[in-house]
């Protein structure tokens, strides 16, 4: 099997016209003359900043806003924190140059609020943001560890706190997370799924759920059908413009994507074509979107999750969410590409070349950059074996070793057993 499927070859190439980066400078033609036959001028190009330059600019902006926060709210820690995050747009740490999303902005603010609340509970009271240091970070992380937070939560909070300390000029000499934790194994995050999260393996039949939801809200039902047919995230389905995105053999997904990474999903089945045609017929002629006119993205998302909550599609009520449809899509495509069910549902291990080619194709179809991230949907044989061993060890520890001890003739018979002689 080839290392990469023919998916990449089917992505249409787009010719980008020459762009005047200065606004008034003519663009040189290949013959060396300007298009307007005017005087020749050098066209300056804008070089994107290097990682070092971007980090330096980020620090300068943070230090300037921090100085303004200290002046606006002297000796008021919470006022300074609110001022800082209200005026500082966090740059994205990875990928193309852009600001982080509002969700990431809120996550940083919530993490730092939890950070200073933890210090206050330990009777460590600061008056200014500049008073924080590495000792406070270590105290917070160990307190969070004692609270039993998961490895993922610990890693996220540590990352936010460490980056914030860089912004306030206290980022030197910070140890790694595993060096701070009392139990270094708590710093290891498990990305591989150990239990199926798709709808079918959790007792739900997608088509029946779609019909039930369609009686309540046809738009949300169509969003779910798109997620099921093309493996879209919820926001991608909400932001999709079906008519613009239909490229014939491919569905172009470039709105509402995670990290702004667009992708092309192959249209291979009649079911996918039927769903897309139904979505095109339902889409608004004015906006091209599926939804109520006047709904912005937050309102559309809130409506989507409200409808799912009414019908019990929540992790608490049924054990699955709308994202489980994406898990189902990846699982079905993995079986199609390898001939084996995903490991998380008990599938056997394919050969290494086939498995890697399938994961590369799936990472492209789902908008990821690393093939190994697909184990969050399909699982892996190695992680499933480890999870099974841990579950067995936990069961044995709960039952105790006495359950497997050979009974002795001297053991006293239970009182509730009656012997008939």
């Amino acid at each position: 099997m080839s290392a990469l499927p023919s998916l990449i070859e089917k992505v249409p190439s787009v010719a980008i016209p020459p762009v005047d980066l200065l606004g008034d400078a003519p663009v040189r033609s290949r013959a060396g003359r300007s298009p307007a036959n005017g005087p020749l001028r050098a066209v300056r190009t804008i070089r994107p900043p290097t990682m070092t330059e971007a980090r330096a600019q980020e620090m300068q902006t943070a230090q300037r806003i921090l100085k303004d926060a200290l002046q606006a709210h002297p000796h008021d820690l919470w006022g300074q924190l609110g001022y800082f995050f209200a005026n500082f747009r966090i740059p994205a740490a990875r990928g193309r140059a852009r600001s982080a999303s509002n969700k990431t902005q809120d996550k940083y603010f919530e993490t730092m609020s939890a950070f200073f609340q933890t210090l206050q509970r330990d009777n460590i009271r600061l008056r200014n943001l500049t008073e924080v240091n590495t000792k406070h970070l270590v105290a917070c992380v160990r307190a969070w560890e004692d609270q039993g937070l998961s490895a993922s939560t610990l890693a996220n909070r540590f990352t936010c706190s460490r980056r914030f300390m860089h912004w306030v000029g206290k980022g030197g000499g910070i140890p790694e997370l595993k060096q701070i934790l009392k139990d270094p194994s708590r710093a290891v995050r498990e990305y591989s799924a150990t239990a199926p999260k798709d709808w079918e393996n959790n007792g739900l039949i997608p088509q029946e759920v779609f019909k039930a939801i369609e009686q309540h809200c046809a738009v949300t039902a169509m969003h779910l059908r798109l997620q099921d047919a093309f493996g879209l995230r919820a926001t991608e389905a909400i932001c999709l413009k079906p008519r613009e995105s239909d490229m014939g053999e491919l569905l172009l997904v470039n709105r509402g994507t995670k990290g702004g990474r667009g992708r092309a999903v192959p249209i291979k089945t009649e079911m996918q074509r039927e769903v897309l045609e139904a979505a095109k017929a339902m889409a608004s002629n004015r906006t091209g979107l599926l939804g109520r006119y006047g709904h912005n993205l937050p309102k559309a998302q809130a409506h989507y999750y409200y409808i799912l909550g009414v019908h019990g599609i929540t992790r608490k009520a049924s054990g699955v969410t709308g994202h489980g449809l994406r898990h189902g899509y990846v699982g079905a495509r993995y079986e199609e590409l390898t001939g084996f069910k995903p490991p998380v549902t008990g599938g056997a291990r394919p050969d290494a070349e086939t498995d890697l080619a399938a994961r590369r194709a799936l990472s492209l179809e789902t908008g990821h950059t690393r093939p190994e991230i697909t184990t969050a949907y399909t699982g892996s044989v190695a992680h499933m074996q480890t999870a099974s061993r841990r579950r067995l060890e936990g069961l044995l520890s709960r039952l105790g070793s006495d359950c497997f001890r050979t009974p002795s003739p001297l053991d006293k018979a239970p009182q509730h057993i009656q012997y008939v002689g």
Side-chain angles (χ1 to χ4, degrees):
M1 189 174 183
S2 60
L4 278 175
S6 59
L7 171 65
I8 303 177
E9 300 175 358
K10 295 182 180 180
V11 178
S13 59
V14 180
I16 301 177
V19 178
D20 176 16
L21 300 177
L22 295 180
D24 59 349
V27 181
R28 286 180 182 269
S29 65
R30 184 170 295 182
R33 300 182 59 85
S34 63
N37 294 325
L40 295 177
R41 296 175 56 185
V43 179
R44 292 177 297 171
T45 58
I46 301 176
R47 178 180 60 83
T50 64
M51 183 65 70
T52 303
E53 293 171 346
R55 290 285 182 265
Q57 184 178 2
E58 177 183 334
M59 281 292 300
Q60 291 175 1
T61 304
Q63 287 290 314
R64 176 176 53 80
I65 296 177
L66 176 63
K67 182 179 178 180
D68 295 340
L70 295 173
Q71 293 177 352
H73 301 276
H75 306 302
D76 179 5
L77 178 71
W78 295 107
Q80 295 169 12
L81 187 66
Y83 183 96
F84 182 85
F85 282 104
N87 293 276
F88 181 59
R89 288 300 303 175
I90 301 175
R94 301 180 65 177
R96 60 186 176 86
R98 68 191 191 281
S99 297
S101 66
N102 292 332
K103 183 177 180 180
T104 301
Q105 192 92 8
D106 293 340
K107 183 184 72 173
Y108 271 82
F109 178 73
E110 292 169 359
T111 297
M112 296 316 302
S113 297
F115 181 94
F116 291 112
Q117 288 172 358
T118 302
L119 292 180
Q120 287 185 350
R121 283 196 294 268
D122 292 343
N123 204 25
I124 303 175
R125 302 186 180 277
L126 307 179
R127 297 191 300 171
N128 298 297
L129 293 178
T130 53
E131 296 176 8
V132 67
N133 56 40
T134 304
K135 176 183 67 176
H136 299 139
L137 176 60
V138 172
C140 274
V141 170
R142 289 181 176 173
W144 293 335
E145 181 185 10
D146 293 338
Q147 294 174 13
L149 300 182
S150 65
S152 177
T153 303
L154 288 173
N156 286 332
R157 289 192 176 187
F158 175 74
T159 299
C160 294
S161 303
R162 180 177 58 184
R163 195 175 181 192
F164 179 82
M165 292 185 65
H166 279 281
W167 292 335
V168 299
K170 299 296 182 69
I174 299 178
E176 296 293 331
L177 178 60
K178 61 183 179 181
Q179 297 173 336
I180 296 176
L181 295 174
K182 303 172 185 176
D183 181 7
S185 64
R186 295 284 303 279
V188 180
R189 302 175 65 176
E190 292 185 0
Y191 293 95
S192 181
T194 57
K197 298 180 182 179
D198 61 295
W199 286 21
E200 288 89 344
N201 284 286
N202 283 276
L204 294 180
I205 302 176
Q207 298 303 323
E208 293 183 359
V209 178
F210 298 158
K211 292 179 181 178
I213 293 179
E214 193 172 15
Q215 303 300 320
H216 191 172
C217 179
V219 172
T220 302
M222 182 55 67
H223 287 153
L224 293 173
R225 292 181 189 275
L226 288 168
Q227 288 185 256
D228 180 52
F230 299 100
L232 304 183
R233 301 180 179 94
T235 303
E236 293 169 349
I238 293 172
C239 295
L240 185 73
K241 293 186 176 182
R243 298 190 190 96
E244 294 182 7
S245 300
D246 188 359
M247 308 294 291
E249 296 182 356
L250 297 169
L251 179 71
L252 185 62
V253 183
N254 60 353
R255 296 170 55 86
T257 58
K258 190 173 183 179
R261 294 187 295 269
R263 66 185 187 276
V265 181
I267 303 175
K268 292 180 172 292
T269 65
E270 293 183 2
M271 183 272 289
Q272 288 179 310
R273 173 53 61 184
E274 291 175 359
V275 170
L276 184 56
E277 292 299 327
K280 290 162 64 175
M282 185 182 294
S284 169
N285 292 327
R286 183 170 184 177
T287 64
L289 296 168
L290 292 164
R292 298 180 180 178
Y293 177 72
H295 263 195
N296 55 20
L297 180 58
K299 288 184 179 179
Q301 290 173 322
H303 178 76
Y304 169 90
Y305 288 110
Y306 167 75
I307 297 297
L308 263 63
V310 169
H311 290 268
I313 310 300
T314 63
R315 195 173 303 280
K316 183 177 181 181
S318 58
V320 297
T321 63
H323 200 69
L325 295 171
R326 183 171 162 92
H327 283 258
Y329 172 86
V330 175
R333 287 286 290 137
Y334 181 86
E335 184 175 358
E336 178 184 344
L337 293 171
T338 65
F340 296 92
K341 291 184 177 180
V344 74
T345 59
R349 185 201 300 268
D351 62 89
E353 183 180 355
T354 301
D355 182 72
L356 180 58
R359 295 190 183 280
R360 284 176 174 171
L362 289 174
S363 67
L364 292 175
E365 292 183 24
T366 55
H368 292 289
T369 57
R370 296 172 296 160
E372 60 269 18
I373 203 65
T374 57
T375 59
Y377 302 94
T378 64
S380 67
V381 174
H383 281 89
M384 291 301 297
Q385 292 173 347
T386 302
S388 299
R389 186 179 68 251
R390 289 177 179 174
R391 284 194 290 266
L392 179 59
E393 291 174 351
L395 177 62
L396 294 179
S397 64
R398 288 194 299 271
L399 292 176
S401 59
D402 287 343
C403 296
F404 302 94
R405 181 172 58 87
T406 303
S408 169
L410 301 179
D411 289 342
K412 185 177 180 181
Q415 297 295 323
H416 64 277
I417 298 179
Q418 297 181 0
Y419 292 94
V420 179

